[in-house]
């Protein structure tokens, strides 16, 4: 099978590309690295079944040759990213999704949308089933991501009804693992970076808000299962084990042996207080559920971060003080992102220069 993966240079996208290659598929990766990282796919460039295309999917999605499936993962996914790039986030969720859908339509290909648990907003129903319609503030600061994904789901379902596109929708809950950017502002990456560098761990509110953390390998298995099916869904993909943010901080501090203190900051606007997926539909229809517990997943993630100490110091400075869209992260981001995709034996292809503030299409 030949699969086009938009946002394939991002955290999730690069892991999906690897998983597809491991099982014998061919992959066309599209990204412009505004939130992805060329290093994520550097090892894949020499693979004979891997193709890279530097592309802004909000402008167009063009792939030469036949495509059997399209996995649309292109979008910023962390609050600091989409708060700094609100219009680009809306563009990739709307125009980018439509462009990817048109690619699937032209090739009669399976189309899988990487949606998000954020479509539930700050939920009034707990835990969250796919039948819940959500509680989203359509004009709040987080709406640029929430509503972009809600529109992406709506237009994907409309393409299925109107044009017969074989659409599947995954609602992804908090996912973590190797290749997370230490400066992306997500809670797992922030805690690990702060613990390893001796910075205070940033907790919003009293730390009693909950999240459900799914290890990336488990999440990717769910995406592949959805890709191989003909089901629309939507399917919640996430770990149904609910943990408080304070509990996560304690686990990270113990695992890293860090003496970092914990500092509390005001809760961001419209930040969800509770988040836990009901995954009955994914279990029964896709035969999927998470297998890796948080202790093992965090052990692997901490080891990855500890092996990339060159990035941690700059990242610690950039996330000091919390997930505030006014924090000037552009300089740190530019310093941490390679300018070109490294090719085989350290060569550079020169096809993917990074420009801070460019239109978002990475994962």
């Amino acid at each position: 099978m030949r699969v086009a993966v938009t946002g394939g240079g991002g955290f999730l996208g690069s892991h999906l590309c690897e998983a597809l290659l491991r099982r014998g598929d061919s992959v066309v990766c599209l990204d412009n690295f505004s939130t992805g990282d060329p290093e994520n796919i550097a090892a894949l460039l020499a693979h004979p079944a891997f193709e890279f295309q530097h592309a802004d999917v909000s402008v167009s999605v063009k792939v030469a040759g036949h495509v059997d499936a399209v996995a649309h993962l292109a979008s910023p996914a962390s609050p600091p990213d989409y708060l700094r790039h609100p219009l680009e986030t809306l563009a990739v969720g709307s125009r980018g999704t439509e462009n990817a859908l048109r690619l699937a339509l032209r090739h009669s290909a399976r189309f899988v949308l990487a949606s998000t648990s954020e479509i539930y907003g700050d939920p009034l129903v707990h835990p969250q089933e796919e039948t819940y319609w959500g509680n989203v503030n359509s004009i709040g600061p987080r709406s640029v991501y929430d509503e972009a994904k809600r529109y992406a789901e709506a237009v994907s379902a409309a393409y299925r009804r109107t044009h017969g596109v074989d659409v599947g929708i995954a609602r992804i809950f908090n996912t973590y693992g190797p290749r997370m950017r230490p400066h992306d502002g997500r809670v797992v990456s922030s805690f690990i970076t702060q613990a390893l560098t001796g910075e205070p761990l940033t907790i919003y509110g009293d730390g009693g808000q909950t999240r459900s953390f799914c290890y990336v390998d488990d999440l990717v298995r769910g995406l592949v299962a959805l890709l191989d099916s003909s089901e629309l869904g939507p399917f919640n993909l996430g770990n149904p084990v609910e943990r408080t943010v304070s509990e996560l901080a304690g686990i990270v501090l113990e695992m890293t042996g860090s003496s970092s203190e914990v500092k509390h900051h005001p809760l961001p606007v419209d930040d969800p207080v509770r988040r836990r997926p009901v995954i009955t539909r994914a279990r029964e229809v896709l035969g999927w559920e998470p297998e890796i517990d948080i202790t093992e997943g965090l052990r692997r993630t901490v080891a990855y971060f500890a092996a990339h100490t060159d990035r941690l110091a700059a990242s610690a400075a950039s996330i000091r003080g919390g997930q505030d869209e006014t924090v000037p992260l552009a300089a740190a981001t530019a310093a941490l992102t390679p300018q070109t995709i490294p090719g085989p034996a350290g060569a550079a292809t020169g096809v993917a220069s990074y420009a801070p503030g460019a239109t978002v299409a990475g994962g």
Side-chain angles (χ1 to χ4, degrees):
M1 183 162 71
R2 188 166 185 248
V3 185
V5 181
T6 72
F11 162 52
L12 282 181
S14 62
H15 282 280
L16 178 60
C17 288
E18 276 192 346
L20 294 171
L21 290 171
R22 277 197 303 268
R23 71 174 197 166
D25 291 334
S26 297
V27 173
V28 182
C29 169
L30 302 96
D31 211 310
N32 74 349
F33 298 114
S34 52
T35 59
D37 189 337
E39 188 175 295
N40 290 341
I41 59 168
L44 305 181
L45 293 173
H47 197 294
F50 182 79
E51 306 168 50
F52 172 77
Q53 184 179 135
H54 186 263
D56 178 355
V57 301
S58 299
V59 176
S60 66
V61 179
K62 298 177 181 178
V63 177
H66 182 69
V67 172
D68 299 294
V70 178
H72 182 44
L73 278 67
S75 178
S78 71
D81 282 334
Y82 58 70
L83 290 172
R84 283 193 303 275
H85 302 291
L87 298 180
E88 294 89 343
T89 301
L90 288 163
V92 75
S94 55
R95 294 194 298 272
T97 302
E98 292 182 53
N99 288 335
L101 281 162
R102 282 193 282 268
L103 175 67
L105 177 61
R106 290 195 297 271
H107 294 275
S108 300
R110 171 70 165 162
F111 179 87
V112 166
L113 172 68
S115 186
T116 173
S117 60
E118 297 297 331
I119 67 102
Y120 298 123
D122 188 5
L124 302 177
V125 173
H126 190 80
Q128 294 78 56
E129 297 186 65
E130 293 91 345
T131 53
Y132 178 49
W133 290 355
N135 176 42
V136 174
N137 175 4
S138 64
I139 60 171
R142 295 172 67 102
S143 67
V144 297
Y145 183 63
D146 302 357
E147 297 291 10
K149 289 297 189 179
R150 288 167 72 92
Y151 176 82
E153 288 196 13
V155 73
S156 297
Y159 262 73
R160 183 176 174 114
R161 288 190 297 266
T162 304
H163 298 299
V165 175
D166 184 12
V167 166
I169 298 171
R171 291 178 178 165
I172 298 172
F173 283 66
N174 292 65
T175 304
Y176 70 98
R179 296 188 201 142
M180 295 185 81
R181 295 172 301 151
H183 60 285
D184 69 9
R186 301 187 216 195
V187 65
V188 172
S189 54
S190 291
F191 280 179
I192 294 174
T193 298
Q194 290 165 337
L196 291 176
T197 57
E199 292 281 339
L201 270 63
T202 301
I203 289 184
Y204 300 96
D206 63 4
Q209 65 270 37
T210 66
R211 297 294 184 266
S212 302
F213 300 102
C214 186
Y215 188 66
V216 62
D217 289 0
D218 282 333
L219 194 285
V220 167
R221 283 193 302 103
L223 289 176
V224 171
L226 181 57
L227 196 68
D228 288 343
S229 77
S230 59
E231 298 290 339
L232 168 63
F235 291 94
N236 285 340
L237 296 183
N239 195 318
V241 178
E242 186 177 7
R243 297 180 184 276
T244 68
V245 171
S246 290
E247 183 182 1
L248 175 69
I251 296 173
V252 169
L253 288 172
E254 181 178 0
M255 187 169 291
T256 58
S258 174
S259 58
S260 292
E261 60 180 328
V262 171
K263 285 192 174 180
H264 292 263
H265 293 260
L267 202 63
V269 176
D270 298 329
D271 192 53
V273 175
R274 300 191 73 186
R275 182 62 54 76
R276 176 162 67 91
V278 174
I279 62 169
T280 304
R281 182 180 292 179
R283 280 194 181 110
E284 294 179 350
V285 178
L286 301 178
W288 175 87
E289 63 181 333
E291 297 175 353
I292 299 171
D293 67 25
I294 195 166
T295 302
E296 175 60 18
L298 283 176
R299 183 191 66 78
R300 299 181 191 181
T301 307
V302 167
Y304 172 83
F305 275 64
H308 290 76
T309 54
D310 55 325
R311 295 189 171 200
L312 292 182
S315 298
S318 72
I319 61 175
R320 186 179 298 130
Q323 295 175 5
D324 184 343
E325 63 268 34
T326 64
V327 174
L329 296 182
T333 302
L336 290 163
T337 306
Q339 297 298 307
T340 55
I341 299 180
T349 67
V351 298
S353 60
Y354 171 83
T359 301
V360 171

